[in-house]
Amino acid sequence: MVCSVSICAGEIFELKAELNSDKKEKKKEAVKKVIASMTVGKDVSALFPDVVNCMQTDNLELKKLVYLYLMNYAKSQPDMAIMAVNTFVKDCEDANPLIRALAVRTMGCIRVDKITEYLCEPLRKCLKDEDPYVRKTAAVCVAKLHDINAQLVEDQGFLDTLKDLISDSNPMVVANAVAALSEIAESHPNSNLLDLNPQSINKLLTALNECTEWGQIFILDCLANYTPRDDRESQSICERVTPRLSHANSAVVLSAVKVLMKFMEMLPKDLDYYSTLLKKLAPPLVTLLSAEPELQYVALRNINLIVQKRPEILKHEMKVFFVKYNDPIYVKLEKLDIMIRLASQANIAQVLAELKEYATEVDVDFVRKAVRAIGRCAIKVEQSAERCVSTLLDLIQTKVNYVVQEAIVVIKDIFRKYPNKYESVIATLCENLDSLDEPEARAAMIWIVGEYAERIDNADELLESFLEGFHDESTQVQLQLLTAIVKLFLKKPTETQELVQQVLSLATQDSDNPDLRDRGYIYWRLLSTDPVAAKEVVLAEKPLISEETDLIEPTLLEELICHIGTLASVYHKPPSAFVEGSRGVMHKRLPARTGSGESTESPDVGTAAGGSAPEAAPSIIPSQGDLLGDLLNLDMAPPTTSGPPPPTTGMQMGGMDLLGGGLDSLVGISHSVDPYAATPGQLVNPFWVKWSLRSDGVLCLQVWLPAMKAKGLEISGTFARRAGVIQMELILTNKAMSVMTDFAIQFNRNSFGLAPAGPLQVLTPLGPNQTIEVSLPLSTVGPVMKMDPLNNLQVAVKNNIDVFYFSCQYPISMLFVEDGKMERQVFLATWKDIPNDNESQFQIKDCHLNSDAASSKLQGSNIFTIAKRTVEGQDMLYMSIKLSNGIWVLAELRVPSRLSMCFRIMFLFIIQAFTVFFPQPR
Amino acid sequence: MIGGLFIYNHKGEVLISRVYRDDIGRNAVDAFRVNVIHARQQVRSPVTNIARTSFFHVKRSNIWLAAVTKQNVNAAMVFEFLYKMCDVMTAYFGKISEENIKNNFVLIYELLDEILDFGYPQNSETGALKTFITQTGIKSQSKEEQSQITSQVTGQIGWRREGIKYRRNELFLDVLESVNLLMSPQGQVLSAHVSGRVVMKSYLSGMPECKFGMNDKIVIDKQGKGGEGATGQSIAIDDCTFHQCVRLSKFDAERSISFIPPDGECELMRYRTTKDIILPFRVIPLVREVGRTKLEVKVVIKSNFKPSLLAQKIEVRIPTPLNTSGVQVICMKGKAKYKASENAIVWKIKRMAGMKESQISAEIELLPTNDKKKWARPPISMNFEVPFAPSGLKVRYLKVFEPKLNYSDHDVIKWVRYIGRSGIYETRC
């Protein structure tokens, strides 16, 4: 047989004989030898039957050894593993709870499909065992079984039994049940398996006080997934979790910190409790730093996140992050990171003294980081800039190669931040030109020379010296050199013409790097066509650089805060970045702050919409398929309104199309409106499609494009019709770190030919955390394609970062035009002509309006009353609507009784592509 | 959760390998050996990700313990578990060494089966484990004993079993503090803190309910209002953590420390203070570079505590440059030696009373080098032991109540001892 590590046949034979020996001691020794071989990777699967034969024994130690063997080899010998089943089933009935638990624990580890069905009955018994030790083991076993065969677990109803165990009297059983359920729930992101509600939370919080340290971690991690209903519940949970901050186990502390950090989001900031909680968080975090180094590392990675999210917690604790000489390097580097984040005017003197000390240490990475940190301090705390620069100069004097290079890189940034302040040091920098061998440092030095060419007498000589080895430089240096020489030329045109020509030809003709070539050509053309413009472009004022660097993007930071204590927080990456499969794909987010008293919606709408109206979740169009092609083929330039209207036949086609399948969907939409119709405000817009309204009838904003899916750009918006023009109101929020510019918008073909009537007016660049409101007028002369649902609109938004796609739905009433009042005669004639197929009716319940009020209200939305008559005490209103594409809708509204407070209103929609039959009435 | 646990020797040979999850294959064992143990460069992180598999490792002497996972596990929990695992092994067979692990591998597998189920840590209290994981087998247990074991392992008081009896009820409290200092050459305190532990060794019958009191400022101030004049000084504790036997919610609400202790030794609490620390020693360094080949070093130490107390095991370590060729030392007290292998002058003094002063001076000859980089001048470090708590902590009481048995608080013999040791006690020069 083929073995991974050679084991000779003789040895196997010998072991076989020993395993079948009559003497118990000899048997046990033999099994031990087998296990020892297994550990070092030798293949002893050939002994399977002999080892399994030893299973039936009273000796627990021997039994455990056999079980260990089984767990390892059952998978490779599934048929023989069945042989063991009987013993397992028997053991599950043993009088000794330790043996019962051992059996159920081991059975779950034998990952053979055939065995699972035999496992069900014993497991069911063990879940209800009288002994808590057996129950807690069985709870974990459900998770094991689920991992092998999820369907089986669901079919057998084990999940419900597991849920019942959350109410178990024994805290450890509760903890294991919570752990098992959390794990199962993670692989079913949408199931509400862990149906957390205030009652179950209360049970968990009670168990939290009583169970082992590990159980406390399971429970806290589970609690962190819960979103309290309001700030009061949030506070009461926080109050019960805070005592955990004094636990000796760091993991308990960190998990408690996670729960608190998350639930704190919901507390109002002016609350006394909020500031108390903030104060309580600092000491335990500091204490984590006296744990073992590995845990310190985990704690520091987490503190890094916490400091970014809530800097106020640790702002006075700078000293504890000072590096100790004997700290392991990974702890040193993390401490340094946090020191920079906490640096402020108040503590900068201390920090600088420390950093200077670190810059003389041994570890190269650490020294580099320390030097860089000095530069960052200068940028962050203006008052300290001067001292930082002089410290950096001192360091340059040491002539230690990597220190000098690192210092030059940061000095470049200091120049950017404080222009015209520290240029006196350039001379010192230039002395070290020759020692620079790293691309980043060379590029930084070249930038400095180019930027201050007018103050450096021999700038041309310096740059020329770099030019000699142009092709051996890295791209970064080449690009920088090109720009620097162009700058130099613009500043001293007379002496450097030759140099600039040389670099331009090197970049454009001799290089095969497209970036370099393109930049070369642009400069060349700029210089040859318009030197003044060239000066404006190349020597333009540079935007300020930000004070904080290496900040984690806010959306990612929020997600990571929800993962405090876990690997995600150590890697600073979302779980989806390093976990395979469905686990961890679910993004966690911090809860929004909601007051218990206040509500954004007025109560009546709240109740009306509460039951059946989930907010229309904006669906993101997957970036694939022909749609993408469609959108990308469209020129991003906005269509001109003066362009020729589409041919009439096209319009007719669109109209006919709507008549065919469109009617059903239109009416279908209308039906779904019913629950909304309860409020008078909504009568105005009977076509609402799952549209949330404020009580005053104004459309609520919806988030169409969440920041997480669009690299930090969040778009929310709504539609309105003003003075005959359809407006798309957009709110763009930049939640990313970088500035966004060059916005453009484009629609996919849609049912009613909606298209932007002008470009998206975002004139100023959108800085981080800025918001801009834009109103985009829409025309209805764009290309037509029937969408499902009918009022679906697919939108592409482009900025300097990428193109993003989303879809949204507009209320049909936006399309009702102002000249929709049909002449009476025409109305009558048409009414009769419309076939019955095109008819639909529905009721609006609980509408407290009389017919006149309804009529005037509807008119506000361009639904015009043509005639009114009263039949048997019922008001009958006849109305007409014209859609932007020329389709007419005729309606009959019946208001049954004036006396009753409750009206039944009946719409009769007859849809007809009128343009085919009638000339448009004037 | 934890997918597997491996123990390696310094050569990277697997001593123990236990896999809990199917997603961890045999190749994971080799991946860690190749990428971490045999890595050319020093390991830069205790968490390593190799091919989407995460490895957590700790090292005990030359033994590597690695936990492996493919999921987003609670990282702090994994490390806490690894430390706990080391504690449990030490409690069972002493020092963690290759030989001990090889001799006890059956026991280790048995322990791993018990304290980690499907990668979830279970009860890891040595006291509880020792009741049913023995190397003698457990056939002879009666039914009562079995249920007692299981209720202890899963129960609220998992760390203590019922029915413990002692003829003499005794308890020992050790207040062990390590005082940490970083001082600038000019004598300015850059950072100083005391991290302390209260270790309790108890030999008490039954299930004794204990209450521990110390001169915690918050408690004293509260009582002070009641008119009871508090004697001595109180100290401000920055933060403290407790053994799992302490009722945390009670501490949070009333700041009283009450618990039922495990039998034998346990670390009752850890604490940290930064205010009003008594720094037992002050180090005054003086380094003078005489030309390129000679250094003159003079170090004075001053003891700063009651003259009646004696500090012990004093050791001052003065680092020397790498290119040192010879050292001449003169010291007034104790013995000083240049240790070339450690690049330091080690000055040892057996005992020193409070409010004294001692001095060492040394001449260091250097070999001329063309190394551009200056000598990094590591700080002068110090070790010592003093018979008091540098934080000022005092034990006020430890009351014992055992309602079911007939002994009272007065019958318990109690011992308290204070030891202050140096932690990282450094002075830059």
Side-chain angles (χ1 to χ4, degrees):
Chain A
M1 79 174 285
V2 185
C3 305
S4 51
V5 176
S6 60
I7 172 164
C8 61
E11 206 175 326
I12 290 274
F13 185 79
E14 222 167 87
L15 282 170
K16 216 177 187 102
E18 281 174 44
L19 284 170
N20 291 318
S21 150
D22 295 334
K23 282 179 194 148
K24 273 188 183 169
E25 266 317 299
K26 208 163 191 186
K27 247 184 189 176
K28 199 161 118 188
E29 283 311 308
V31 178
K32 276 189 187 176
K33 277 184 207 161
V34 173
I35 302 286
S37 312
M38 191 176 88
T39 299
V40 291
K42 288 180 186 169
D43 189 340
V44 283
S45 60
L47 295 166
F48 200 94
D50 310 282
V51 177
V52 170
N53 272 341
C54 305
M55 195 168 159
Q56 286 206 341
T57 167
D58 304 335
N59 187 320
L60 199 61
E61 197 189 356
L62 180 58
K63 193 169 232 141
K64 283 182 177 174
L65 287 172
V66 177
Y67 281 179
L68 189 65
Y69 179 89
L70 265 176
M71 285 187 261
N72 242 312
Y73 286 115
K75 215 173 173 190
S76 56
Q77 312 251 340
D79 294 325
M80 283 205 263
I82 300 280
M83 289 168 29
V85 164
N86 258 338
T87 321
F88 278 128
V89 174
K90 220 173 94 196
D91 279 359
C92 281
E93 315 248 315
D94 198 283
N96 186 342
L98 292 172
I99 293 188
R100 291 203 296 276
L102 178 65
V104 77
R105 185 165 64 214
T106 314
M107 267 179 102
C109 295
I110 296 182
R111 305 179 52 91
V112 176
D113 248 342
K114 281 185 196 158
I115 282 199
T116 52
E117 44 194 284
Y118 296 99
L119 178 58
C120 289
E121 276 321 300
L123 177 58
R124 198 185 315 280
K125 262 185 218 150
C126 289
L127 279 167
K128 303 228 158 100
D129 200 285
E130 53 172 19
D131 195 295
Y133 183 76
V134 181
R135 288 203 300 277
K136 70 118 187 163
T137 312
V140 175
C141 188
V142 176
K144 292 178 188 167
L145 188 59
H146 187 272
D147 198 34
I148 309 168
N149 190 341
Q151 196 56 45
L152 185 73
V153 170
E154 278 169 46
D155 295 345
Q156 295 279 333
F158 285 138
L159 295 181
D160 293 323
T161 324
L162 202 53
K163 277 188 207 166
D164 293 343
L165 287 183
I166 290 196
S167 319
D168 199 281
S169 56
N170 184 293
M172 193 151 173
V173 177
V174 179
N176 275 4
V178 167
L181 275 175
S182 302
E183 176 163 347
I184 295 171
E186 218 176 284
S187 52
H188 293 280
N190 296 320
S191 70
N192 53 346
L193 205 64
L194 257 174
D195 181 24
L196 294 175
N197 52 46
Q199 288 78 37
S200 58
I201 291 291
N202 197 27
K203 277 178 203 151
L204 293 185
L205 286 169
T206 312
L208 184 62
N209 285 328
E210 294 164 352
C211 60
T212 64
E213 46 195 326
W214 314 114
Q216 295 184 19
I217 300 169
F218 307 153
I219 292 178
L220 287 169
D221 283 351
C222 172
L223 271 180
N225 290 328
Y226 175 67
T227 310
R229 286 163 311 169
D230 53 43
D231 51 346
R232 258 177 252 139
E233 192 188 1
S234 176
Q235 178 174 347
S236 84
I237 296 176
C238 287
E239 277 166 1
R240 294 177 70 179
V241 167
T242 28
R244 299 297 120 199
L245 293 175
S246 312
H247 202 286
N249 188 314
S250 307
V252 175
V253 176
L254 267 179
S255 291
V257 168
K258 164 165 60 189
V259 174
L260 297 173
M261 282 293 285
K262 195 177 167 193
F263 289 8
M264 236 161 116
E265 285 292 305
M266 295 184 68
L267 299 177
K269 286 202 168 162
D270 47 358
L271 200 69
D272 284 344
Y273 181 69
Y274 179 83
S275 41
T276 319
L277 195 53
L278 272 183
K279 272 186 215 127
K280 278 194 175 169
L281 275 173
L285 286 174
V286 174
T287 299
L288 291 178
L289 298 183
S290 39
E292 288 84 346
E294 292 88 2
L295 266 176
Q296 278 187 50
Y297 174 72
V298 174
L300 285 165
R301 294 292 283 174
N302 280 287
I303 289 171
N304 199 328
L305 297 173
I306 293 168
V307 164
Q308 288 184 57
K309 180 76 191 158
R310 295 189 181 280
E312 63 269 33
I313 295 179
L314 288 167
K315 65 178 173 198
H316 299 303
E317 304 288 348
M318 172 59 92
K319 275 190 181 178
V320 298
F321 297 103
F322 285 178
V323 171
K324 295 183 188 131
Y325 190 74
N326 292 324
D327 281 336
I329 183 66
Y330 49 83
V331 169
K332 282 185 176 175
L333 292 172
E334 293 304 320
K335 279 187 173 174
L336 195 49
D337 243 354
I338 295 168
M339 278 175 71
I340 300 160
R341 292 207 197 285
L342 291 177
S344 68
Q345 205 182 326
N347 55 27
I348 195 74
Q350 272 184 325
V351 173
L352 260 182
E354 280 295 307
L355 291 177
K356 206 173 165 181
E357 201 68 41
Y358 305 160
T360 61
E361 281 221 30
V362 190
D363 190 282
V364 176
D365 282 348
F366 181 62
V367 171
R368 280 173 179 275
K369 203 162 183 171
V371 175
R372 209 162 266 229
I374 296 174
R376 273 164 69 180
C377 285
I379 290 163
K380 205 172 160 187
V381 185
E382 189 166 356
Q383 292 79 356
S384 74
E386 196 152 344
R387 282 164 66 190
C388 293
V389 172
S390 74
T391 309
L392 286 171
L393 284 179
D394 287 350
L395 289 173
I396 289 175
Q397 298 302 348
T398 62
K399 304 274 178 196
V400 177
N401 190 287
Y402 54 85
V403 173
V404 173
Q405 309 213 33
E406 209 60 46
I408 286 181
V409 172
V410 292
I411 285 181
K412 178 202 74 180
D413 286 341
I414 296 175
F415 283 174
R416 277 286 301 278
K417 170 85 182 181
Y418 310 108
N420 304 316
K421 222 168 161 187
Y422 300 110
E423 282 72 12
S424 51
V425 308
I426 290 176
T428 323
L429 301 186
C430 289
E431 288 166 20
N432 294 289
L433 213 60
D434 300 331
S435 64
L436 308 180
D437 54 8
E438 287 162 25
E440 204 183 351
R442 284 175 85 86
M445 192 63 222
I446 293 168
W447 182 87
I448 293 170
V449 174
E451 189 66 17
Y452 299 99
E454 69 271 30
R455 307 181 196 196
I456 305 171
D457 294 334
N458 58 344
D460 48 344
E461 280 170 39
L462 292 176
L463 291 176
E464 200 172 357
S465 69
F466 280 106
L467 207 55
E468 281 160 21
F470 189 77
H471 291 297
D472 302 328
E473 300 283 1
S474 72
T475 316
Q476 189 184 12
V477 179
Q478 289 177 333
L479 285 168
Q480 207 51 259
L481 194 54
L482 172 62
T483 307
I485 292 180
V486 172
K487 279 182 190 165
L488 173 71
F489 173 69
L490 289 167
K491 287 172 179 171
K492 299 179 181 172
T494 45
E495 312 129 59
T496 56
Q497 198 149 9
E498 209 171 299
L499 192 62
V500 82
Q501 268 164 1
Q502 203 183 336
V503 77
L504 285 175
S505 79
L506 275 173
T508 55
Q509 285 158 26
D510 300 343
S511 168
D512 47 10
N513 181 320
D515 283 347
L516 187 64
R517 255 190 347 242
D518 284 358
R519 197 188 280 195
Y521 278 124
I522 288 172
Y523 282 143
W524 203 322
R525 280 181 202 148
L526 260 175
L527 291 173
S528 56
T529 49
D530 189 352
V532 180
K535 212 162 189 167
E536 272 170 29
V537 172
V538 179
L539 303 178
E541 201 168 307
K542 279 160 280 296
L544 274 183
I545 54 173
S546 70
E547 287 174 7
E548 297 282 347
T549 41
D550 303 335
L551 283 181
I552 295 173
E553 249 192 80
T555 40
L556 177 60
L557 181 62
E558 284 203 357
E559 192 181 350
L560 291 180
I561 290 285
C562 299
H563 287 294
I564 284 178
T566 69
L567 262 183
S569 70
V570 174
Y571 292 146
H572 287 185
K573 282 179 191 160
S576 51
F578 60 90
V579 175
E580 281 167 1
S582 63
R583 285 177 210 283
V585 171
M586 204 167 29
H587 286 280
K588 292 188 184 177
R589 297 193 71 169
L590 289 177
R593 199 178 303 268
T594 50
S596 50
E598 56 185 287
S599 169
T600 45
E601 284 180 325
S602 71
D604 55 339
V605 176
T607 48
S612 57
E615 300 242 328
S619 52
I620 303 298
I621 304 168
S623 52
Q624 53 178 14
D626 46 16
L627 168 71
L628 183 68
D630 270 34
L631 284 171
L632 287 180
N633 284 338
L634 298 174
D635 190 354
M636 285 310 277
T640 46
T641 35
S642 57
T648 335
T649 47
M651 282 303 285
Q652 276 174 6
M653 284 305 287
M656 295 308 282
D657 196 20
L658 281 175
L659 191 63
L663 179 66
D664 289 340
S665 34
L666 194 59
V667 172
I669 291 161
S670 315
H671 275 300
S672 75
V673 161
D674 263 353
Y676 289 103
T679 49
Q682 272 157 335
L683 181 62
V684 192
N685 299 302
F687 290 95
W688 277 173
V689 183
K690 291 183 186 168
W691 202 266
S692 30
L693 266 186
R694 290 213 306 265
S695 58
D696 54 0
V698 178
L699 282 174
C700 285
L701 280 178
Q702 281 191 310
V703 177
W704 285 335
L705 183 67
M708 203 136 63
K709 301 203 170 159
K711 302 182 182 168
L713 174 66
E714 185 180 279
I715 300 181
S716 50
T718 181
F719 291 91
R721 188 179 180 93
R722 290 201 196 96
V725 182
I726 305 169
Q727 302 271 8
M728 187 177 189
E729 314 275 358
L730 292 155
I731 296 183
L732 310 176
T733 310
N734 181 355
K735 294 198 170 174
M737 309 299 303
S738 57
V739 177
M740 294 181 179
T741 54
D742 310 332
F743 285 92
I745 194 165
Q746 190 70 352
F747 295 171
N748 193 10
R749 286 182 287 170
N750 54 70
S751 313
F752 294 94
L754 285 178
L760 193 62
Q761 298 284 337
V762 187
L763 298 175
T764 48
L766 196 58
N769 274 326
Q770 271 185 4
T771 294
I772 190 168
E773 286 184 38
V774 200
S775 197
L776 180 73
L778 304 184
S779 72
T780 53
V781 293
V784 175
M785 181 175 80
K786 202 198 136 201
M787 299 298 291
D788 186 32
L790 207 56
N791 56 345
N792 198 22
L793 182 64
Q794 299 181 327
V795 183
V797 169
K798 185 193 83 122
N799 63 9
N800 58 330
I801 295 166
D802 206 344
V803 183
F804 309 109
Y805 304 94
F806 64 90
S807 72
C808 55
Q809 294 178 7
Y810 46 90
I812 297 258
S813 66
M814 293 298 123
L815 301 167
F816 300 170
V817 295
E818 280 69 17
D819 60 349
K821 187 158 186 168
M822 194 180 264
E823 277 176 41
R824 277 184 94 131
Q825 314 308 334
V826 184
F827 188 94
L828 266 174
T830 319
W831 187 268
K832 286 174 197 154
D833 283 352
I834 298 171
N836 284 344
D837 305 358
N838 287 3
E839 214 177 285
S840 172
Q841 36 183 306
F842 62 94
Q843 291 177 10
I844 299 169
K845 293 193 186 100
D846 298 331
C847 181
H848 304 273
L849 282 179
N850 64 30
S851 58
D852 292 340
S855 169
S856 68
K857 218 150 196 179
L858 288 171
Q859 184 141 4
S861 295
N862 296 339
I863 301 171
F864 299 95
T865 309
I866 310 295
K868 174 184 167 185
R869 65 188 172 118
T870 312
V871 183
E872 296 162 4
Q874 288 194 356
D875 279 348
M876 309 280 273
L877 295 176
Y878 291 92
M879 358 196 65
S880 72
I881 303 160
K882 190 186 164 192
L883 293 174
S884 58
N885 58 355
I887 291 178
W888 285 90
V889 179
L890 307 189
E892 181 192 65
L893 177 71
R894 194 155 69 227
V895 188
S897 168
R898 253 174 234 247
L899 297 171
S900 84
M901 286 303 290
C902 159
F903 290 86
R904 280 179 68 234
I905 302 175
M906 192 90 92
F907 272 97
L908 178 67
F909 283 103
I910 299 108
I911 296 185
Q912 188 60 287
F914 253 85
T915 40
V916 185
F917 303 105
F918 296 97
Q920 284 192 6
R922 317 213 122 249
Chain B
M1 281 306 113
I2 299 173
L5 203 135
F6 308 130
I7 302 180
Y8 302 85
N9 65 8
H10 67 287
K11 283 185 256 171
E13 291 165 353
V14 199
L15 304 178
I16 296 286
S17 118
R18 175 77 157 90
V19 174
Y20 294 92
R21 298 270 171 151
D22 222 23
D23 52 7
I24 302 300
R26 186 86 206 173
N27 52 352
V29 185
D30 304 325
F32 182 77
R33 174 182 30 242
V34 173
N35 288 288
V36 180
I37 301 180
H38 291 170
R40 288 229 186 96
Q41 285 161 339
Q42 186 201 353
V43 188
R44 307 293 274 195
S45 159
V47 185
T48 326
N49 194 317
I50 307 161
R52 284 174 98 81
T53 309
S54 300
F55 295 81
F56 300 76
H57 74 262
V58 297
K59 232 182 140 185
R60 287 289 180 267
S61 63
N62 54 10
I63 297 294
W64 299 74
L65 278 90
V68 193
T69 184
K70 282 205 164 188
Q71 298 174 21
N72 181 31
V73 296
N74 189 322
M77 185 186 79
V78 176
F79 280 124
E80 282 284 3
F81 175 78
L82 288 174
Y83 302 144
K84 200 73 182 203
M85 175 79 207
C86 294
D87 291 349
V88 171
M89 288 197 291
T90 314
Y92 266 97
F93 51 76
K95 195 174 169 277
I96 296 176
S97 65
E98 184 172 349
E99 200 191 345
N100 277 345
I101 288 173
K102 277 184 171 165
N103 289 340
N104 291 285
F105 82 95
V106 174
L107 170 73
I108 295 175
Y109 276 125
E110 203 175 331
L111 285 170
L112 279 175
D113 197 43
E114 187 58 42
I115 60 179
L116 209 53
D117 190 4
F118 201 38
Y120 290 104
Q122 304 291 309
N123 196 323
S124 53
E125 283 301 311
T126 332
L129 288 171
K130 277 192 169 168
T131 59
F132 68 105
I133 294 192
T134 54
Q135 282 162 294
T136 52
I138 49 154
K139 330 167 236 200
S140 57
Q141 279 161 349
S142 70
K143 192 144 192 195
E144 290 75 50
E145 278 172 325
Q146 286 165 7
S147 70
Q148 202 177 47
I149 288 168
T150 59
S151 78
Q152 193 201 338
V153 174
T154 61
Q156 293 183 22
I157 304 165
W159 53 85
R160 189 182 181 93
R161 66 187 168 90
E162 301 229 16
I164 298 171
K165 278 213 171 65
Y166 288 101
R167 230 152 44 107
R168 225 158 88 111
N169 288 301
E170 241 181 332
L171 68 84
F172 301 85
L173 271 183
D174 280 350
V175 177
L176 306 171
E177 295 196 338
S178 75
V179 52
N180 298 277
L181 169 77
L182 185 62
M183 196 177 254
S184 75
Q186 293 76 33
Q188 183 193 4
V189 176
L190 295 174
S191 74
H193 74 271
V194 168
S195 56
R197 305 186 296 145
V198 178
V199 175
M200 178 171 169
K201 227 183 258 178
S202 67
Y203 304 102
L204 300 170
S205 311
M207 297 296 263
E209 183 68 47
C210 300
K211 210 172 161 189
F212 174 67
M214 55 190 175
N215 57 342
D216 177 2
K217 196 163 193 281
I218 298 172
V219 179
I220 303 276
D221 288 356
K222 226 193 274 172
Q223 288 174 347
K225 275 178 213 154
E228 185 192 320
T231 49
Q233 283 190 329
S234 58
I235 60 159
I237 292 175
D238 285 21
D239 188 38
C240 46
T241 60
F242 297 99
H243 185 268
Q244 60 168 322
C245 66
V246 176
R247 297 187 186 90
L248 294 179
S249 38
K250 207 155 179 184
F251 177 75
D252 195 55
E254 312 161 14
R255 227 175 152 82
S256 74
I257 303 163
S258 63
F259 53 94
I260 296 172
D263 193 36
E265 191 174 315
C266 85
E267 189 182 285
L268 183 64
M269 79 178 268
R270 275 175 188 241
Y271 56 92
R272 189 166 49 80
T273 73
T274 46
K275 289 200 189 69
D276 306 320
I277 294 170
I278 309 157
L279 295 171
F281 285 95
R282 166 115 198 257
V283 178
I284 305 153
L286 205 80
V287 180
R288 208 159 64 92
E289 287 180 42
V290 188
R292 292 201 51 150
T293 54
K294 203 169 160 194
L295 275 179
E296 276 181 16
V297 180
K298 200 173 111 183
V299 176
V300 181
I301 59 169
K302 284 184 178 171
S303 60
N304 177 34
F305 45 88
K306 267 191 244 166
S308 57
L309 298 175
L310 274 182
Q312 295 184 56
K313 300 178 191 165
I314 301 149
E315 185 187 291
V316 182
R317 188 169 280 265
I318 304 159
T320 53
L322 294 171
N323 55 338
T324 303
S325 59
V327 176
Q328 280 167 332
V329 233
I330 310 159
C331 57
M332 291 155 41
K333 216 177 165 197
K335 281 179 190 160
K337 239 187 211 164
Y338 166 62
K339 293 196 172 166
S341 59
E342 297 167 36
N343 284 312
I345 301 167
V346 180
W347 176 25
K348 284 184 181 169
I349 305 169
K350 275 197 185 133
R351 271 180 216 93
M352 187 167 173
M355 306 315 270
K356 289 261 163 49
E357 193 178 307
S358 191
Q359 158 176 328
I360 183 172
S361 42
E363 277 188 16
I364 302 171
E365 306 274 342
L366 300 176
L367 289 170
T369 57
N370 46 10
D371 197 356
K372 259 191 197 169
K373 206 176 164 227
K374 257 178 37 185
W375 176 46
R377 283 205 190 181
I380 295 174
S381 59
M382 215 187 147
N383 289 316
F384 53 79
E385 199 179 291
V386 288
F388 60 90
S391 70
L393 183 128
K394 287 266 173 340
V395 176
R396 291 173 59 221
Y397 56 81
L398 200 149
K399 292 177 194 156
V400 181
F401 312 94
E402 168 53 68
K404 285 186 197 147
L405 296 174
N406 55 351
Y407 71 94
S408 74
D409 187 37
H410 299 291
D411 303 331
V412 181
I413 304 158
K414 300 169 191 168
W415 307 86
V416 182
R417 174 166 69 158
Y418 298 91
I419 300 173
R421 291 202 183 97
S422 52
I424 294 165
Y425 204 84
E426 293 176 338
T427 307
R428 288 182 180 155
C429 58

